[in-house]
Amino acid sequence: MSSVALAGDVAGAAALRARSENRTAWLLAAPAIVLLLLFVLLPVAAVIFLGFTDFELGYGKFRFVGFENYAHLLNDRTFRRSLWNTSVYTAIVAPVSIVLGLGVALLIEGEGRARGFFRTVYFLPVASLIVAMATVWQYIFHPTIGPLNALLSLAGIPGPNWLGASNTVLYSLSIIGIWQSVGFNMVLFLAGLTAIPRELYAAAHVDGAKSALDRFFLVTWPMLGPTTLFVVTISITNAVKVFETVKMLTDGGPNKASEVLLFTIYQEGFVYLRVGYASAMTVVFLAILVVLMLVQYRVLDRRVHYT
């Protein structure tokens, strides 16, 4: 057999093997693609479509209203209030939970014997049922029998109505949000800390980084860049998506002081049954998330050192 014919056979076999691998890859990816299509892409398309209609649950007919729903959002005081509340909540919960999560991770990483115990303790809020924990926090923040106000009274400080006053309810929910998020952020930062080569700390010590603070800024913080980017993204996304604690503890009150975006969408869609208007709110909500993600990656990704 000539060398040309042999080369042709080899090329044909390689092409056949490549096509077989491609078919196998598509077959393996098919379930995930179908699920993505059914539970993500199609619902998003439906929401965008309904946002241009006046569809209401219980009514068979609807009409296209163009951008009327979006124009109404600009003058909707409830929507503006919920947007502001969500922004304040996110501005408190995201940075505080990130800083505390990193601090706890550094403390646990430096602990030798009880590391597993502290990991479990700090991760419990993440694994706990939010319904049960909401009951506990409702008791803690209770204005008359709550232990928090009891401690304040021992110091001669009158305790406020944490969940029942307009000027404290959002900050109270923020405390719960921080408590929920710290454990998850801690686990992510611990994973990042474990991946840092120990040799870098030895090299930094030789170069003159004698204190722990010097080694943190010289080695730990730059090497945690990818982890920090992911934690910031997840923390902001989870804070913007707050709903369960608001629904169970305050129901948006008092006087809409704790009403957030997802709660307003829920009210419009499932209480007032105005699905078209709720869909327009959802599109705005998704657009906010996308913009936040793009801004984060544009700003933070440039400062991240990948290894």
Side-chain angles (χ1 to χ4, degrees), residues 80-92:
R80 294 203 304 268
R81 181 67 180 272
S82 66
L83 183 61
W84 170 254
N85 290 340
T86 304
S87 302
V88 172
Y89 179 90
T90 304
I92 296 173

Side-chain angles (χ1 to χ4, degrees), residues 82-100 170-171 173-175 177-178 181 232 234-242 260 288 292 296:
S82 66
L83 183 61
W84 170 254
N85 290 340
T86 304
S87 302
V88 172
Y89 179 90
T90 304
I92 296 173
V93 172
V96 175
S97 64
I98 291 170
V99 172
L100 289 180
L170 197 58
Y171 301 108
L173 292 174
S174 298
I175 293 174
I178 293 169
S181 303
V232 169
I234 292 296
S235 298
I236 292 179
T237 302
N238 289 338
V240 171
K241 294 191 305 181
V242 60
V260 291
I288 292 172
L292 285 174
Q296 288 173 55

